[in-house]
Amino acid sequence: RCDSCFAFCEGLLQSSSKLSDALMNIREAPFSNHENWFDYFPSKIRPTDAIILAGTGATSTLHRDPFEWTGTSICLEGTKIWRFILPPPESKGGVAVVDEALASYRLDSIAWEEEEGGDDSKESVVLSAGWQSDMTLYDVIDESFPSAFDWVTMEEDDVDNFEREMERVGMDISCIRPSTDALDALNQIGNAKDSDDSSPLFATAIHQPGDLLLIPAHCWHQTYAP
């Protein structure tokens, strides 16, 4: 789609301490009694909040985050579809099964490296690496999928119907189809789970303005902007 732009901007919120503080208070609310280990990082390499801008049809990569952290995402405007791949229990191999099925590879957290234009003689400081896959959970979008204008009109006319329809298409693999290799991987992961586990191939979340979404550790995920 012509508007499928995806921008990941780290450090942008630093220029507005008022906005940054307000968002930080929302982000930290579920963890008020927990220690933030990033506070112990040197300030120059401490990760900052990031703003993500995504146009219609934009997707993130299929990945899971570094360390075993719990990620957070606050939606300020628009709607985003999230798909999460739930790993088998540890007794069945845990997240390693997902890593292998998705042909994953490690990717340094480049957002934490020295900024462009810096001193090339200094080595980049890389404190972590996430896991990434070249597969996608959003390979083919059915022709019946509503346009961005259709979604806006639907929301203005009937919010309840808009939310129901967004949930329906988000979960429907015939409407938003994963790539063939991703489907094979999802089935491989499903076969590794307990025989009485009836969970779906992936879990779906619809992210709307004002929502704070928590990203569990060890959970592969990918987003799509409808």
Side-chain angles (χ1 to χ4, degrees), residues 16-184:
S16 174
S17 59
K18 185 176 181 180
L19 177 58
S20 179
D21 290 346
L23 294 176
M24 181 183 69
N25 290 335
I26 297 172
R27 182 196 68 210
E28 296 296 327
F31 314 106
S32 57
N33 297 320
H34 292 75
E35 188 175 26
N36 185 350
W37 288 7
F38 286 134
D39 290 339
Y40 297 100
F41 283 35
S43 58
K44 290 184 178 181
I45 56 173
R46 189 178 301 164
T48 64
D49 290 324
I51 290 180
I52 296 175
L53 308 174
T56 300
T59 67
S60 70
T61 59
L62 176 58
H63 67 281
R64 71 177 175 99
D65 296 326
F67 302 126
E68 294 184 344
W69 67 23
T70 298
T72 58
S73 180
I74 303 170
C75 183
L76 299 179
E77 185 175 340
T79 300
K80 185 189 292 184
I81 297 173
W82 291 71
R83 284 178 170 176
F84 297 90
I85 301 176
L86 307 180
E90 287 298 322
S91 61
K92 298 290 185 177
V95 72
V97 172
V98 186
D99 295 344
E100 181 179 357
L102 294 177
S104 68
Y105 53 92
R106 303 304 299 272
L107 189 69
D108 290 343
S109 299
I110 57 174
W112 300 5
E113 293 182 355
E114 296 289 339
E115 294 185 5
E116 292 183 12
D119 186 350
D120 292 337
S121 65
K122 295 181 180 179
E123 292 186 3
S124 297
V125 179
V126 180
L127 297 182
S128 72
W131 289 258
Q132 187 159 302
S133 171
D134 293 330
M135 301 179 192
T136 178
L137 301 180
Y138 309 98
D139 188 44
V140 179
I141 311 300
D142 190 77
E143 292 182 357
S144 65
F145 192 85
S147 67
F149 180 79
D150 293 334
W151 284 120
V152 171
T153 303
M154 192 185 309
E155 186 175 24
E156 290 176 345
D157 291 344
D158 189 336
V159 173
D160 291 338
N161 181 56
F162 165 82
E163 292 179 349
R164 285 194 301 269
E165 188 64 12
M166 187 67 74
E167 290 176 3
R168 183 189 68 80
V169 299
M171 294 184 291
D172 188 352
I173 62 172
S174 66
C175 194
I176 308 178
R177 186 174 179 82
S179 58
T180 300
D181 53 359
L183 278 174
D184 290 341

